[in-house]
Amino acid sequence: MTQHSTPLRFITAGSVDDGKSTLIGRLLYDSKALLTVDVAYSYFSTAKRKFIIADTPGHEQYTRNMVTGASTASAAIVLIDASQLNFDEKTLQLLPQTKRHSAILRQLNCPHILVAVNKMDLLDYSEEKFNTIVEAYRQLAVQLGLKDVHFVPVSALLGDNLVYVSESTPWYQGEPLLTILENLPSVDEVSHYNACLLYTS
């Protein structure tokens, strides 16, 4: 396998207690990452790519911190807390933070969006509910003008579809989250290739 010469940078942003630390910790543990940590950044690498995770505060009032960090992002992971959605509604409504973060990414001209539908274990890994979320976000993507959008059903707590394809979602035919990140095309191997990781709740 070949390794990209430039790192893929993640910016973690979103609300408090939404599973952010759980997802990052599980991703690093399951990928058997070579890891160093300083005050604001975590660095890890796989056989194919180097990554940088930059942490930002989870409180809503720090949204501007995310905007600053994401201003040069070439890709973004929008993490949706599926357990907080109301599936009894005639038309599923996405959370305000999901809409807000996605709108910001559109304004920043972020070309690649990876939607990670989190806490699928609390939904009994329902394909129907996952598809409902996907359809709701696709409608939002059309409204905002987001072009390249990918969807992955995940459980940050249990590691489903983060590093390895999960047996709990046999209906999911796509790749795990890390594989998608490893294979994102490099926009410019000379400059840093950045990714923004957004958590919505």
Side-chain angles (χ1 to χ4, degrees):
M1 292 184 292
T2 60
Q3 178 170 298
H4 293 271
S5 62
T6 54
L8 183 71
R9 178 180 299 174
F10 294 84
I11 299 175
T12 58
S15 300
V16 179
D17 299 327
D18 55 11
K20 172 171 62 176
S21 298
T22 303
L23 185 142
I24 293 301
R26 189 79 196 207
L27 185 66
L28 297 178
Y29 179 81
D30 285 354
S31 65
K32 300 178 176 59
L34 300 174
L35 174 63
T36 58
V37 180
D38 62 22
V39 175
Y41 297 92
S42 298
Y43 307 84
F44 75 102
S45 61
T46 66
K48 295 192 67 173
R49 200 165 214 165
K50 294 179 180 179
F51 299 88
I52 302 173
I53 304 173
D55 196 14
T56 57
H59 297 82
E60 185 175 347
Q61 60 264 38
Y62 294 111
T63 298
R64 64 181 181 180
N65 294 52
M66 180 276 291
V67 174
T68 301
S71 60
T72 59
S74 297
I77 297 176
V78 177
L79 188 70
I80 295 177
D81 184 347
S83 69
Q84 295 196 39
L85 300 177
N86 183 3
F87 292 93
D88 292 329
E89 296 176 324
K90 183 177 181 180
T91 302
L92 181 70
Q93 297 298 312
L94 297 172
L95 299 170
Q97 282 286 73
T98 300
K99 298 177 181 179
R100 182 180 300 113
H101 287 158
S102 299
I104 290 171
L105 290 170
R106 177 62 185 91
Q107 291 171 355
L108 295 175
N109 295 316
C110 183
H112 306 290
I113 306 296
L114 282 68
V115 179
V117 181
N118 192 27
K119 303 186 181 179
M120 286 298 299
D121 53 309
L122 299 182
L123 302 183
D124 295 322
Y125 299 99
S126 169
E127 179 182 10
E128 180 181 0
K129 291 181 178 179
F130 173 74
N131 288 337
T132 300
I133 296 172
V134 168
E135 180 57 32
Y137 194 91
R138 279 179 173 159
Q139 292 181 14
L140 175 65
V142 170
Q143 294 172 4
L144 295 176
L146 299 174
K147 302 297 184 182
D148 186 33
V149 183
H150 308 266
F151 300 90
V152 185
V154 307
S155 169
L157 181 63
L158 301 178
D160 294 297
N161 296 319
L162 294 184
V163 176
Y164 307 106
V165 174
S166 173
E167 295 180 356
S168 298
T169 56
W171 41 266
Y172 174 63
Q173 301 299 310
E175 297 175 319
L177 193 64
L178 182 60
T179 301
I180 297 174
L181 291 172
E182 287 179 327
N183 294 324
L184 283 176
S186 294
V187 175
D188 185 351
E189 288 289 353
V190 176
S191 63
H192 284 295
Y193 185 87
N194 301 313
C196 177
L197 181 54
L198 305 180
Y199 296 84
T200 62
S201 64

